[in-house]
Amino acid sequence: MTINAEVPVAATRTGPAAPARPEAEGTTSAADLVLPLVAVGGAGVLAGYGYVRRTRRARTRTTPGVVSPQPPVTPLPVLERQARAALVQADDCVRSSRDELAFVEARFGTRAVEPFVLALHEAERELSAAFAIRLRYDEGVPEEKAARRHALAGIVGRCAEAGRRLDAAAPEFDQLRALDREMGEALEVAEGRFRELTGRTGTVEATLADLRTRYPASATAAVTGYVEQAKDRLVFATTHLNQSRQAADLGRTEQAVRDLRAAEGAIGQADILLAGVDELANSLAKAAELIPAALTGAEAERARAQAATGTADGVPRSLLGDTDAALAAVREEVTGDRPYDPLTALRSIVRAVSALGAGQDGVLGAAAWLVGRADVRATDGFVATHRGAVGAGARTLLAEAERLLATDPAAADEPALAARQLAEQDVRVHGNPYSGAAEHTTGAVLGGVLLGESPNGGPPPAFGGPNTRKREEPDPGEPPSNSVRTD
């Protein structure tokens, strides 16, 4: 319906007008009564219609000063997605800030980076609290819908605070690095680490080959492809180191900084991948050494549990049978002729005695800590080098495993292994959206070395929170990085 704002005019007929009749003085014609009534009635209709229109506008308008009687409520699934996204973003900010901080510490020393280490630790604490809330939420706590909304808001708030602390430290961090004035020294540090890792690659490759001859495939499955991925990151790094030095020589400072940060990120991830192989080799060797003593300790715990059977402190006889079966399987593996996985065997011992309520002192405590640490570190390395695809679920379980490693090592391996399984699933589902990009860009995006916001991989992240981690953007007037010659 529309309303014409113009004053209505009576329609006129064609033809001769009717002669006017003189009325007697003091009388009123019918027309004199009808026209005012029509006008009043029309005004009433218009007023009523205007009231309805105003009421409808008041219920739906979004202008300041007018509050809807029933504001829209964001659906719970939408809030859950927002909380998951906040966790992933905050975790990425913490990880990329930690990576760049390592290069700055290598250049300026521990004392110079103390304020930024403090800011990073504060952000880590906020993020840990957010992950703890998310873990309880996934377990169904709290149950009430309103309380669950508050929990999700708490997750987002904690993540925002973690990012704020990093954002606040970013300007001073840039002043310390002074990449716009002292690019040469930063390049020397990065190139030194690059050369060291390049030299280590051959040694680590030989270590992995040796592990495959001594242990079954399941023992080395956690680091499958790590050497190849490390080489891929190093090729990416050397390309961007060359481009950074050449861009700096040409006075293209922003482009030089961008390439340097990309190279540093790739170098850091190559280090994680190679270290993962070395750590697995050490864990397997220590587990093999610890198994005989752990079996002896487990037998003692089993005897204690059997002696307490039938008392208030006793355990069900079914658990004793499960423990006997687990320990017998480990003995058979250890004394057999076929290669076995020492970490898996030690994990079986730890789980068997944990079910009996055994303490975590002595050799069994050392066994629990060794297994838990190996699983947590292996999962953390995988998440760190595949963060571009890993979601909030895996990161939440990893955070819980890290917490348990410090308080209850025997319980840490279960969430760590579950986190690794979820992370690998995320990577498989993610696939390769950069198949047509430049060589080695796919691995850089998958690892979070590049943020993946454009077909060429996007910018590298910097130290800081969500408002500062992309502050080093190239000048739009400068040519893209692949236009700088590398020969």
Side-chain angles (χ1 to χ4, degrees):
M1 296 178 62
T2 58
I3 299 176
N4 192 344
E6 298 179 359
V7 179
V9 179
T12 58
R13 296 182 183 178
T14 58
R21 286 190 307 170
E23 299 290 341
E25 187 177 354
T27 63
T28 303
S29 68
D32 292 338
L33 292 173
V34 172
L35 289 175
L37 291 175
V38 171
V40 171
V45 171
L46 293 176
Y49 175 73
Y51 172 78
V52 173
R53 288 284 298 274
R54 288 192 299 273
T55 301
R56 289 176 179 173
R57 286 197 299 268
R59 289 176 179 172
T60 59
R61 72 172 53 180
T62 58
T63 54
V66 179
V67 180
S68 172
Q70 296 180 347
V73 178
T74 305
L76 200 60
V78 175
L79 296 177
E80 290 175 347
R81 287 196 297 271
Q82 292 173 351
R84 288 195 297 268
L87 284 170
V88 170
Q89 183 184 64
D91 192 44
D92 282 348
C93 289
V94 166
R95 290 180 180 276
S96 57
S97 296
R98 187 187 300 132
D99 293 343
E100 187 174 3
L101 187 59
F103 285 89
V104 180
E105 184 174 1
R107 179 180 170 192
F108 295 102
T110 303
R111 180 179 292 274
V113 299
E114 284 180 355
F116 314 112
V117 172
L118 177 61
L120 181 61
H121 287 170
E122 291 173 345
E124 289 172 341
R125 282 195 294 270
E126 295 291 341
L127 180 59
S128 296
F131 276 129
I133 298 172
R134 181 73 208 194
L135 181 68
R136 292 193 297 270
Y137 184 92
D138 291 340
E139 294 172 346
V141 181
E143 296 181 357
E144 299 81 7
K145 183 175 292 187
R148 289 177 75 77
R149 287 180 175 277
H150 285 301
L152 294 174
I155 293 171
V156 174
R158 292 280 191 174
C159 291
E161 180 61 17
R164 187 195 67 78
R165 292 180 183 274
L166 293 174
D167 282 331
E172 188 178 351
F173 184 86
D174 284 346
Q175 291 179 6
L176 176 63
R177 290 211 79 179
L179 292 178
D180 55 338
R181 302 187 304 275
E182 301 176 11
M183 174 68 67
E185 294 182 13
L187 275 168
E188 289 177 2
V189 171
E191 288 168 346
R193 286 193 64 185
F194 170 82
R195 288 190 294 269
E196 186 268 331
L197 289 173
T198 302
R200 276 178 55 196
T201 302
T203 303
V204 173
E205 192 169 21
T207 298
L208 183 57
D210 178 62
L211 294 178
R212 287 171 174 164
T213 62
R214 297 167 56 192
Y215 303 108
S218 60
T220 58
V223 295
T224 298
Y226 271 27
V227 174
E228 291 75 13
Q229 293 176 47
K231 291 179 179 179
D232 180 85
R233 300 294 198 278
L234 291 174
V235 171
F236 179 91
T238 189
T239 299
H240 285 271
L241 285 173
N242 290 337
Q243 292 176 172
S244 178
R245 192 169 282 282
Q246 293 174 22
D249 292 341
L250 294 174
R252 296 171 179 164
T253 303
E254 291 184 356
Q255 187 65 54
V257 171
R258 172 176 174 153
D259 282 318
L260 173 63
R261 282 204 165 102
E264 288 176 342
I267 291 169
Q269 294 209 350
D271 194 359
I272 293 173
L273 291 164
L274 296 176
V277 177
D278 286 336
E279 288 177 359
L280 177 62
N282 291 333
S283 297
L284 289 170
K286 290 180 179 178
E289 294 176 358
L290 198 57
I291 285 176
L295 279 171
T296 302
E299 289 290 352
E301 288 294 337
R302 195 263 181 212
R304 178 198 59 78
Q306 184 177 20
T309 302
T311 67
D313 297 329
V315 297
R317 293 186 181 277
S318 60
L319 284 180
L320 290 177
D322 294 341
T323 300
D324 290 340
L327 296 181
V330 172
R331 288 193 207 93
E332 183 178 357
E333 277 191 324
V334 172
T335 58
D337 297 331
R338 301 175 60 183
Y340 71 97
D341 181 352
L343 273 175
T344 299
L346 194 62
R347 185 181 298 111
S348 297
I349 298 173
V350 170
R351 290 184 175 182
V353 296
S354 295
L356 299 178
Q360 296 188 17
D361 298 327
V363 65
L364 293 178
W369 185 80
L370 175 61
V371 170
R373 185 189 64 168
D375 292 338
V376 168
R377 286 189 175 181
T379 301
D380 182 69
F382 184 86
V383 172
T385 54
H386 299 78
R387 71 186 73 161
V390 177
R395 299 176 194 234
T396 301
L397 289 175
L398 174 58
E400 174 64 5
E402 291 172 338
R403 184 189 71 82
L404 289 173
L405 184 61
T407 59
D408 185 8
D413 77 304
E414 186 173 349
L417 293 177
R420 176 64 181 261
Q421 185 176 4
L422 271 180
E424 291 177 348
Q425 179 180 327
D426 288 341
V427 172
R428 288 193 298 269
V429 172
H430 183 267
N432 178 16
Y434 292 88
S435 58
E439 188 179 7
H440 308 293
T441 296
T442 298
V445 173
L446 181 63
V449 175
L450 301 178
L451 293 177
E453 297 179 354
S454 61
N456 68 350
F463 180 101
N467 295 328
T468 55
R469 68 193 307 243
K470 295 188 294 184
R471 60 190 177 276
E472 294 295 347
E473 295 284 0
D475 188 340
E478 293 185 358
S481 60
N482 58 11
S483 67
V484 180
R485 294 182 60 187
T486 60
D487 55 352

